[in-house]
Amino acid sequence: MTQKIVLLLMVLATALPLLAQEKTAKRLAESTAVLKTIVNEQGIPKSLLGKAECVLVYPSVKKVGVGIGVTYGRGIITCREGSEMNGKWSPPAMYTLDTGSIGAQLGSTSTDYVLLVMTPRGANKVLSGKLKLGADASAAAGPSGAKANTFNDPNVDILTYSQTKGLFAGASLGSASMASDDDMNKELYGKQLDATQIVRDAAVSVPAAGKELVNFLNKISPKHD
C-alpha cells in the first residue's frame, strides 16, 4: 500500500507541473489569437497600438456566479522595453481580471478584451500590483476610425476594447481590478517572478509559448511612433 501511495505521489509530482505549463501555453495561444483577430480586422487601429506603453489581452472572459454578476478572466500583459518604455515588446506576464457586472453585453457568451495602456503613469500603476480602474488609473472605451487617428488625451491612462461573437467595440470595464498572476508566472518562467520583473528585467527572455505574440507586436509596432 505504501509503495502505491509513493508511486501515486510521484505521478502527481510529474503531471501537475506539465498541466500548469499546458495552461500557460493555452492562455498565451488564445491571447495571441484574440489580439491578431482584433488588430487585423481593424478593431484596434495600429496607430493607437504604436502609442501604447503596454497591452493586456483577456480571452474568453465569462460572467460567473448566479445573481452576483461577478466577471473573472485570466490573460497576459506585455510592455515596451527600456527605461523610457519606447523599445520593443517585452516577454509576456500572466495577469488576472476581476470585476463586478459590466452590463448586458456579456449575457451567456464570453467576451474578449484588449486594453491599451497609453501613459507612463498608467503603466506604472498597472505594474505596481493590484490595480482598480477608475480609482488607480483612468480608463475609457477605445475609439476607432478617425477618432482613433486623432486621439491624444493625456488624462486617459487605459483604452479598452472588446470582441463578442466577432463584433468589435470600445468597452467599459467599470471598476475592474487587475493583478499579476504570480503562480502562473512561476510556471511559465520556472521561478518566482512578478509582472514588473518580467517586463522590465532585460535578463528575462521570451518563453517559447510567448514568441508568436511578441513577434506579432514587434512586426506591426516595433517601437513608439
Side-chain angles (χ1 to χ4, degrees), residues 97-145:
L97 174 72
D98 187 5
T99 181
S101 176
I102 56 179
Q105 64 173 326
L106 277 178
S108 60
T109 64
S110 63
T111 302
D112 305 317
Y113 290 96
V114 176
L115 283 63
L116 305 185
V117 184
M118 304 304 296
T119 65
R121 176 184 62 246
N124 289 331
K125 288 288 187 178
V126 169
L127 293 171
S128 66
K130 188 157 184 157
L131 171 142
K132 192 169 185 177
L133 293 181
D136 301 314
S138 61
S144 59

Side-chain angles (χ1 to χ4, degrees), residues 8-83:
L8 177 60
L9 292 175
M10 291 176 62
V11 170
L12 289 174
T14 303
L16 290 178
L18 290 175
L19 181 60
Q21 291 174 11
E22 289 179 2
K23 286 184 177 180
T24 58
K26 181 180 179 182
R27 192 193 302 187
L28 282 163
E30 291 176 345
S31 298
T32 302
V34 166
L35 183 62
K36 282 185 172 182
T37 298
I38 297 181
V39 170
N40 290 337
E41 296 294 332
Q42 299 183 350
I44 296 179
K46 294 179 183 178
S47 59
L48 278 182
L49 192 58
K51 299 175 183 178
E53 306 280 338
C54 302
V55 175
L56 295 106
V57 185
Y58 292 103
S60 302
V61 176
K62 295 181 179 180
K63 186 179 292 184
V64 296
V66 178
I68 301 175
V70 174
T71 303
Y72 187 76
R74 294 179 181 273
I76 62 92
I77 184 173
T78 176
C79 298
R80 298 284 187 176
E81 294 181 335
S83 59

Side-chain angles (χ1 to χ4, degrees), residues 87-224:
K88 293 184 178 181
W89 293 95
S90 73
M94 302 289 104
Y95 237 67
T96 64
L97 174 72
D98 187 5
T99 181
S101 176
I102 56 179
Q105 64 173 326
L106 277 178
S108 60
T109 64
S110 63
T111 302
D112 305 317
Y113 290 96
V114 176
L115 283 63
L116 305 185
V117 184
M118 304 304 296
T119 65
R121 176 184 62 246
N124 289 331
K125 288 288 187 178
V126 169
L127 293 171
S128 66
K130 188 157 184 157
L131 171 142
K132 192 169 185 177
L133 293 181
D136 301 314
S138 61
S144 59
K147 291 183 179 180
N149 294 329
T150 59
F151 177 83
N152 186 25
D153 189 342
N155 295 315
V156 175
D157 296 313
I158 300 173
L159 296 175
T160 60
Y161 292 86
S162 68
Q163 170 186 246
T164 304
K165 292 184 176 180
L167 299 177
F168 308 110
S172 174
L173 281 170
S175 57
S177 297
M178 298 179 290
S180 178
D181 190 350
D182 291 339
D183 289 340
M184 296 307 286
N185 282 325
K186 182 177 181 181
E187 296 298 337
L188 180 60
Y189 290 95
K191 56 184 177 180
Q192 196 71 47
L193 293 171
D194 61 25
T196 300
Q197 292 171 308
I198 292 169
V199 304
R200 290 187 168 171
D201 188 344
V204 178
S205 300
V206 179
K211 287 184 177 179
E212 184 178 359
L213 172 72
V214 174
N215 289 343
F216 173 70
L217 283 170
N218 282 329
K219 180 179 178 179
I220 64 173
S221 181
K223 293 184 179 180
H224 268 315

